[in-house]
Amino acid sequence: MAAGQPKPHDLRAAIADSVAEHVKAYDVAESHEGLGLAPVVEGEDPFHSKRIYVQSKLTGKPMAELRRIAGRLPEEWDDPSLQTMVDGLAARGVRGEVRNLIFASTGPKPKIVLRDAIDNVVEVVENGQFCLYYDRPVSEGGLMWSELVDWWSAALKTANTDVAARHLWTRLHTSLDSDPEKTLFRSYTKRYQAGFDQPALIPQVYLHYDPYSSTGGRRSALVRQRMDFLLLLPGRRRVVIEIDGKHHYARPDGTADPAAYAAMMVEDRRLRLRGYEVHRFGGWEFVDNTAAHVTLDTFFDELLDGPT
């Protein structure tokens, strides 16, 4: 978590203070369920202390979920203090909105046309069967696994979200090219077992599109056309995760390739200047599968919840 960013306990306290100030005790239970918190259980008493009651319901919530809740409260009532904290959380996000999310390709690169250049409406006109195209708006709260599953449930025409979730997980896993990518994906998606209100880990996301690279044997002028993984977090925070194999820094014969490495660094800088966060893992970190899972668990804990 960046310097000056609120920690989970700061955000829990700010949310509890805001609810305590703006909601009557007899409405606390109803209002907090609307925020996605657990329902009241026997023996709990919001009349005793609204702050303590709400904080108890927030204990254990991941930072991404706390951000989502905090971001919704200013929509319900004016709270300058909480709004300042929410604005601070969003300060490092990307300014633009997510308009097109094309991902999980399992075949040839899709061919895309601008159906409406003014509104930036794109259409996949060829090879669309090999990729997924999320066509719903992405809110300030980011893209949660529950939202992705709901979208996929509609595509499958099923009301059984568990079936849809398993089917979607398998489809996303199929798009992965290497064992390290599969290890990272499985390590992260274990979090979905604790509940679907977790940021969705999106694999093989198209970042740039160069239509000329697929015609006439022309090599693309764009260095990175796809990201290995993308997380769309609250506050327009976009996190890119890459796993670097030998082709990122060496030629096919194994000798160092400084030009390829430099081009990769240039593209990283471009993304960071646009507000993206870029995190890289070396392929060597995945040689020991057990150690890799420990490393990944720690990484995702700190990425989403902040250092302990």
Side-chain angles (χ1 to χ4, degrees):
M1 185 175 295
Q5 289 278 317
K7 290 183 168 52
H9 67 82
D10 299 321
L11 204 46
R12 284 194 295 268
I15 293 170
D17 287 345
S18 188
V19 172
E21 181 178 349
H22 294 93
V23 181
K24 300 294 185 183
Y26 50 78
D27 288 331
V28 166
E30 181 180 352
S31 70
H32 90 263
E33 286 184 39
L35 295 172
L37 303 183
V40 181
V41 298
E42 187 176 354
E44 292 182 330
D45 181 13
F47 287 86
H48 176 65
S49 172
K50 291 184 285 184
R51 285 181 176 83
I52 293 174
Y53 175 78
V54 173
Q55 278 204 295
S56 71
K57 292 296 184 180
L58 296 170
T59 300
K61 290 283 184 184
M63 192 62 173
E65 179 69 1
L66 293 175
R67 286 192 181 100
R68 185 188 68 79
I69 294 169
R72 290 181 59 182
L73 289 184
E75 299 174 3
E76 303 292 331
W77 52 73
D78 291 330
D79 187 332
S81 178
L82 183 61
Q83 185 65 62
T84 298
M85 186 172 288
V86 170
D87 290 344
L89 288 167
R92 57 177 171 171
V94 176
R95 290 184 180 181
E97 297 178 356
V98 176
R99 296 186 184 275
N100 304 296
L101 193 57
I102 302 172
F103 60 103
S105 177
T106 57
K109 184 172 70 175
K111 292 188 177 180
I112 299 170
V113 298
L114 273 174
R115 182 60 59 198
D116 186 331
I118 296 174
D119 288 335
N120 192 29
V121 176
V122 305
E123 181 179 341
V124 180
V125 295
E126 193 173 324
N127 297 328
Q129 71 271 32
F130 299 112
C131 63
L132 303 183
Y133 182 15
Y134 185 77
D135 55 1
R136 294 182 178 181
V138 177
S139 72
E140 291 284 339
L143 183 59
M144 296 292 169
W145 177 239
S146 57
E147 294 172 302
L148 207 58
V149 169
D150 182 69
W151 165 75
W152 194 246
S153 297
L156 294 181
K157 296 182 172 57
T158 177
N160 190 323
T161 55
D162 288 334
V163 169
R166 288 194 293 271
H167 190 276
L168 178 57
W169 188 96
T170 300
R171 172 62 182 81
L172 298 179
H173 189 266
T174 301
S175 73
L176 302 175
D177 295 328
S178 66
D179 288 339
E181 288 179 354
K182 293 174 183 177
T183 296
L184 187 147
F185 186 75
R186 289 194 295 264
S187 184
Y188 178 85
T189 56
K190 286 187 301 184
R191 295 167 179 267
Y192 300 159
Q193 297 171 10
F196 286 3
D197 283 331
Q198 310 280 341
L201 182 66
I202 313 166
Q204 303 298 317
V205 181
Y206 278 95
L207 172 65
H208 299 308
Y209 183 74
D210 181 357
Y212 299 105
S213 65
S214 59
T215 60
R218 177 187 181 276
R219 183 175 180 180
S220 175
L222 301 173
V223 175
R224 184 182 305 151
Q225 296 197 55
R226 283 195 298 184
M227 314 174 196
D228 288 344
F229 297 98
L230 176 67
L231 287 163
L232 297 172
L233 303 181
R236 299 189 180 187
R237 186 180 170 203
R238 300 182 193 174
V239 177
V240 178
I241 301 172
E242 299 280 352
I243 299 177
D244 295 343
K246 287 185 66 175
H247 64 281
H248 287 86
Y249 54 83
R251 301 183 181 90
D253 63 2
T255 59
D257 189 346
Y261 180 79
M264 183 175 67
M265 294 298 101
V266 168
E267 186 59 29
D268 279 359
R269 290 197 300 273
R270 286 177 180 166
L271 283 176
R272 291 191 179 102
L273 288 172
R274 289 173 57 193
Y276 285 79
E277 299 172 41
V278 182
H279 299 275
R280 291 189 169 276
F281 287 88
W284 187 257
E285 296 181 78
F286 295 84
V287 172
D288 184 329
N289 195 56
T290 301
H293 279 294
V294 172
T295 297
L296 289 166
D297 287 345
T298 301
F299 167 74
F300 285 120
D301 285 344
E302 295 194 356
L303 177 71
L304 298 176
D305 300 333
T308 56

